Amino acid sequence: PEKHKKDFVPDTEIPLSLREAIAAFFIANAIRDLRGQKTKHRSMLINISRFIDVQERIRKIVDSYVRELQREIKNYYALGDDALKHEGIAFVKDVYDRYFLPLSDTALDGEKRFLWNQIQYALHEAVAPIVVRTVNGGNAAKSLNYDECEEEGLRIIAIGGFSLSRGLTLEGLCTSYFHRNSKMYDTLMQMGRWFGYRAHYADVCQVWMNETSAEWYEYISEA
């Protein structure tokens, strides 16, 4: 629920929209690797709750799902078409078909497009380094250790609240999953800077939000 207290315990069943967003982040990582950007940082943002305790509970649920999907990709990605017999990889391909394939004929900055079989073979190496961390005022410097990962690039799913919406920069932000609602102009303007014109990966950037939030962004853009 949009309104909850710090003792709220989320359902361990991740909603379809969040699973799709995570799969989209996996695909974005593979595409960026195929484009020769292997050492570049890339991030996903999950902003669902302002409470640190709830953020940590969400982190555990998301981390479990991500690890499960990483394991399945590692075990079966090299099987060609047979890999699609496995639920997780088939799910990632479905997300590719729905949200990436329609863009394949659209030229954007001359960036190269890739077919599913190319992405499938790049998936394991692309997603194996992904970590899931909470990011808030108390641990941001430790969680977002971009400098320590300068050579290989940090790949992170960052779960947070106020800190993520009010100033912290996530390097290489590709995917944003936002459930919290705000009608305050200053907050909306801060969050609106998440995505600009990103050289060489603007086409893989995605924002996931509910209809109410989208309407408020439309309203403030008109204002």
Side-chain angles (χ1 to χ4, degrees):
E2 290 181 0
K3 293 184 178 180
H4 56 269
K5 298 181 179 180
K6 66 179 181 179
D7 58 354
F8 175 74
V9 178
D11 192 333
T12 56
E13 181 67 30
I14 295 180
L16 175 62
S17 59
L18 182 52
R19 288 188 284 120
E20 286 184 327
I22 291 169
F25 182 58
F26 277 28
I27 295 165
N29 274 272
I31 291 174
R32 295 197 65 188
D33 279 3
L34 288 167
R35 287 179 178 170
Q37 303 166 22
K38 289 189 175 183
T39 61
K40 300 294 184 181
H41 303 307
R42 64 282 306 259
S43 307
M44 175 179 177
L45 176 155
I46 298 177
N47 193 327
I48 297 177
S49 174
R50 66 187 178 92
F51 297 111
I52 293 176
D53 290 348
V54 180
Q55 293 167 15
E56 179 58 26
R57 296 181 191 115
I58 293 169
R59 184 201 65 79
K60 291 179 180 178
I61 296 168
V62 171
D63 184 64
S64 176
Y65 176 74
V66 167
R67 288 175 183 270
E68 178 183 339
L69 197 53
Q70 286 171 323
R71 281 194 297 269
E72 183 164 324
I73 290 169
K74 176 182 178 180
N75 291 337
Y76 307 116
Y77 81 99
L79 297 181
D81 290 343
D82 286 343
L84 298 176
K85 296 177 182 178
H86 299 276
E87 184 179 359
I89 296 178
F91 178 75
V92 176
K93 182 181 186 297
D94 181 63
V95 170
Y96 167 81
D97 290 342
R98 294 180 62 190
Y99 301 110
F100 291 87
L101 187 59
L103 302 174
S104 60
D105 294 329
T106 306
L108 181 65
D109 299 331
E111 296 299 342
K112 186 175 181 181
R113 304 295 180 176
F114 300 97
L115 300 175
W116 167 253
N117 65 328
Q118 296 171 288
I119 290 172
Q120 178 178 308
Y121 280 109
L123 267 177
H124 170 52
E125 187 175 348
V127 307
I130 292 174
V131 295
V132 182
R133 295 175 181 163
T134 53
V135 176
N136 50 61
N139 69 6
K142 180 179 179 181
S143 294
L144 298 177
N145 56 339
Y146 292 112
D147 290 340
E148 294 179 14
C149 302
E150 197 63 42
E151 291 187 4
E152 69 275 18
L154 178 63
R155 307 185 185 199
I156 183 172
I157 296 177
I159 299 170
F162 284 143
S163 295
L164 291 183
S165 25
R166 296 184 178 173
L168 275 179
T169 297
L170 294 174
E171 298 287 346
L173 183 60
C174 297
T175 311
S176 219
Y177 186 90
F178 185 71
H179 183 58
R180 292 179 52 221
N181 226 357
S182 176
K183 301 176 183 178
M184 300 298 293
Y185 271 40
D186 59 340
T187 304
L188 287 167
M189 290 294 283
Q190 283 278 11
M191 293 185 293
R193 68 176 170 67
W194 285 341
F195 293 93
Y197 293 95
R198 307 298 191 195
H200 310 302
Y201 67 97
D203 57 319
V204 300
C205 290
Q206 295 184 358
V207 182
W208 297 70
M209 63 172 63
N210 62 29
E211 188 173 353
T212 302
S213 294
E215 288 172 352
W216 276 104
Y217 278 103
E218 181 181 5
Y219 178 78
I220 194 175
S221 68
E222 291 173 353

